Amino acid sequence: MRNVLVTGGAGFIGSNFVRYVLRTQPDVFIVNLDLLTYAGSPENLIDLPSPDRYEFTKGDICNQALVEDILRRHAIDTIVHFAAETHVDRSILGPNAFVQTNIFGTFSLLEATRKVWLDENKADAKTVRFHHISTDEVFGSLTADAPAFKETTPYSPNSPYAASKASSDHLVRAYSHTYGLPITLTNCSNNYGPYQFPEKLIPLMILNALDGKSLPIYGDGKQIRDWLYVEDHCEAIWRVLEHGQIGESYNIGGNNQPTNLEIVDSICEILDELQPGSPYQPHVGLKKPVADRPGHDRRYAMNTDKIELELGWQPKHGLREGLLKTVHWYLEHNDWIQAIRKQKEYQSWLEKNYTERVEGRQ
Ligand code: NAD
Ligand code: TYD
C-alpha cells in the first residue's frame, strides 16, 4: 500500500486526481489536505470510488506541525502538491495570498518533509517522493512563431501568480539539490474539464452563455494557450510518479494552439447544438470585448517530447472531444453550478473583476 498526501485535493485538478487514483490504483491510500478556500469544495469529492481508501483533513499547508503530524500518523511516502492560489486575475488584484500559499506554503511542506522523512526516518529515493505541480506560465510569454517551451527554457514569469509558482519550483529544486529530497516536478499547460471553478476562461464562458450573459473577451482575444483535458493531466502525473527520474522536471501539454476567440467560438457552437431551444442562440452573439488583463501573456506552448519519449505519455483527448465532454458535464451538474452561484465570494469576484472593465478598452 502506498500512502499518498494530496494537497489541494478539493480544487479542480486535485479532485480529479483523487478520483483518478482511487479508480485506477487499488493499492493507494489518499489523505487530502485542503484549506477549502473559495476554490475548494467538498462537493468536488462526492461519490468517490473506494471512499474507504480516502481521508480528508481541512487545514493549511502553511501549518508545518499539522503536515508533520499527517506524515507521521499515516506513514506518508508520497506527496503530490497541488494546493495553491491559481487565478492570474486574482493575483493581479491581490498578490498577497499568492506569496503566502504558493511560496511560504510550499516552503512549509518542504520543511515538514525534511524533518520527518530525511531527519527522522532517514528515507531515501526508493521510499519517498515529493511531486510538485507547476505550470507553463513560469516560462513567460512567447511570440507567435517562437518555439515551444522546453524543460530547459529559462524561467521568466510575468504575473504575480507565475512568479509565486516559479519561486516554489526553485525551492523544490533547492531541497533536492541541497538536502537530497527525492523530488519530481511537472509543468503543465492550461487544464479544462469537470469541477473547474467558473472564474477560469472555459467554465466562465459556459456558465455565462447558459445564462445569456455576455462573454468577456480580454483585449483582442488572439492570445494563445495550450489546452489539456484534466484527466490526461492526472494520467501524466501518475506516469511521472511511477516512472519519472528523480530530480527531473517534465512538461505536460495538449499539443494545440487555439486563440481565446477560437475556444469561445467552439463552446458557443457546442451549446448551439446541445441547447437547440435556448433563447440565446446563436451564443456567439454574446461575445463582448472588454479591457485587457494588465501584462497579459500572449502565447504559451509546450514541447512535450521528453515525457512522450521517456515515459510514453501522450494526451488521449483532442480539443473538440474534451470541450464536448466538458460542456456535457456542466449541463449535467446543475446542482454543482447552483452551489457556486450562491457563494457570496463568487458574486463579489464577478463584480470586482468585470464591472470595472470598460467595454473594448485596451
Ligand atoms: P484550484 O484553484 O482549483 O484549487 C486549489 C486548491 O488548493 C483548492 O481546493 C484550495 O482550497 C486549496 N488551497 C489553497 N490554499 C491552500 C492552503 N494554504 N492550504 C491548503 N489548501 C489550499 O487549482 P487548480 O486549477 O486545481 O490547480 C492545482 C495546481 O495545478 C496548482 O498548483 C496550479 O498552479 C497548478 N496548475 C493549474 C493549471 C490549470 O490550468 N488549472 C495548469 C497548470 C498547473
Ligand atoms: P484563464 O482561464 O484565466 O487562464 P490563464 O490566464 O492562466 O491562461 O485565462 C485563459 C485565457 O483567457 C487568458 O488569455 C485570459 C483569457 N480570458 C478572457 O479573455 N476572459 C475572461 O473572462 C477570462 C477569465 C480569461
Side-chain angles (χ1 to χ4, degrees):
M1 180 70 81
R2 192 168 185 169
N3 296 324
V4 179
L5 171 62
V6 171
T7 70
F12 163 48
I13 307 174
S15 64
N16 276 282
F17 182 76
V18 167
R19 196 169 269 107
Y20 172 82
V21 172
L22 289 175
R23 198 182 70 233
T24 59
Q25 305 301 325
D27 295 330
V28 171
F29 182 85
I30 295 181
V31 179
N32 176 7
L33 172 64
D34 196 298
L35 189 57
L36 298 181
T37 68
Y38 79 89
S41 160
E43 283 162 40
N44 294 350
L45 294 156
I46 47 175
D47 298 332
L48 284 181
S50 307
D52 50 313
R53 291 188 286 111
Y54 170 80
E55 190 173 305
F56 180 75
T57 300
K58 182 173 182 216
D60 193 334
I61 55 165
C62 299
N63 182 344
Q64 193 185 321
L66 170 67
V67 176
E68 285 175 16
D69 179 58
I70 292 172
L71 295 182
R72 292 188 190 104
R73 211 155 29 89
H74 293 282
I76 297 291
D77 50 55
T78 306
I79 295 179
V80 185
H81 175 32
F82 294 93
E85 290 290 334
T86 62
H87 189 29
V88 174
D89 292 320
R90 288 186 191 251
S91 84
I92 294 167
L93 292 173
N96 202 315
F98 288 71
V99 171
Q100 182 64 19
T101 291
N102 300 1
I103 305 178
F104 186 74
T106 302
F107 167 69
S108 159
L109 273 182
L110 289 166
E111 277 294 272
T113 55
R114 182 159 81 96
K115 187 162 169 197
V116 176
W117 282 355
L118 301 185
D119 293 351
E120 292 173 15
N121 300 351
K122 312 286 180 226
D124 62 22
K126 289 196 197 73
T127 50
V128 294
R129 176 81 66 85
F130 187 103
H131 183 76
H132 183 59
I133 305 292
S134 190
T135 163
D136 55 2
E137 306 197 21
V138 297
F139 296 118
S141 181
L142 291 169
T143 53
D145 46 11
F149 301 129
K150 288 182 161 181
E151 286 80 359
T152 48
T153 303
Y155 276 23
S156 183
N158 289 319
S159 69
Y161 164 65
S164 66
K165 290 296 293 186
S167 307
S168 66
D169 295 6
H170 289 317
L171 279 170
V172 171
R173 281 166 199 277
Y175 272 64
S176 160
H177 190 79
T178 306
Y179 305 112
L181 185 70
I183 65 122
T184 39
L185 196 154
T186 44
N187 294 87
C188 189
S189 63
N190 286 59
N191 283 217
Y192 66 101
Y195 302 101
Q196 187 167 29
F197 193 81
E199 62 185 356
K200 306 277 168 63
L201 180 75
I202 289 177
L204 181 95
M205 295 296 158
I206 298 172
L207 265 58
N208 279 15
L210 287 175
D211 261 6
K213 289 191 187 147
S214 62
L215 309 179
I217 310 290
Y218 294 171
D220 65 5
K222 292 185 183 152
Q223 302 82 8
I224 291 172
R225 299 290 183 266
D226 174 323
W227 294 94
L228 182 68
Y229 190 66
V230 63
E231 200 176 293
D232 288 333
H233 186 187
C234 296
E235 194 179 278
I237 295 166
W238 193 260
R239 191 72 61 93
V240 171
L241 278 174
E242 296 240 288
H243 303 292
Q245 291 287 318
I246 302 294
E248 289 290 308
S249 71
Y250 296 86
N251 280 357
I252 305 172
N255 297 327
N256 52 59
Q257 292 282 281
T259 64
N260 292 341
L261 280 171
E262 284 166 346
I263 287 285
V264 175
D265 287 346
S266 298
I267 291 170
C268 290
E269 268 172 41
I270 292 171
L271 282 172
D272 289 348
E273 275 168 41
L274 298 183
Q275 303 263 283
S278 162
Y280 309 118
Q281 297 256 8
H283 291 90
V284 280
L286 297 168
K287 282 192 295 188
K288 179 180 163 195
V290 298
D292 207 351
R293 171 187 281 174
H296 198 168
D297 282 343
R298 195 68 182 164
R299 173 174 168 244
Y300 304 138
M302 289 301 249
N303 178 321
T304 55
D305 287 354
K306 183 174 173 181
I307 193 167
E308 281 181 39
L309 294 171
E310 287 185 19
L311 307 184
W313 175 89
Q314 275 189 330
K316 290 194 172 130
H317 294 80
L319 186 54
R320 177 81 190 180
E321 182 195 358
L323 281 177
L324 196 60
K325 267 177 128 167
T326 303
V327 175
H328 266 293
W329 188 87
Y330 282 91
L331 289 176
E332 285 157 11
H333 289 79
N334 193 41
D335 289 354
W336 186 89
I337 293 175
Q338 293 315 328
I340 287 179
R341 280 197 174 128
K342 274 192 211 130
Q343 262 189 34
K344 279 206 183 85
E345 203 286 336
Y346 181 56
Q347 289 308 326
S348 67
W349 167 251
L350 294 180
E351 275 161 37
K352 194 167 162 189
N353 191 42
Y354 293 101
T355 48
E356 304 282 293
R357 279 179 194 270
V358 178
E359 190 166 344
R361 205 173 67 188
Q362 300 290 308

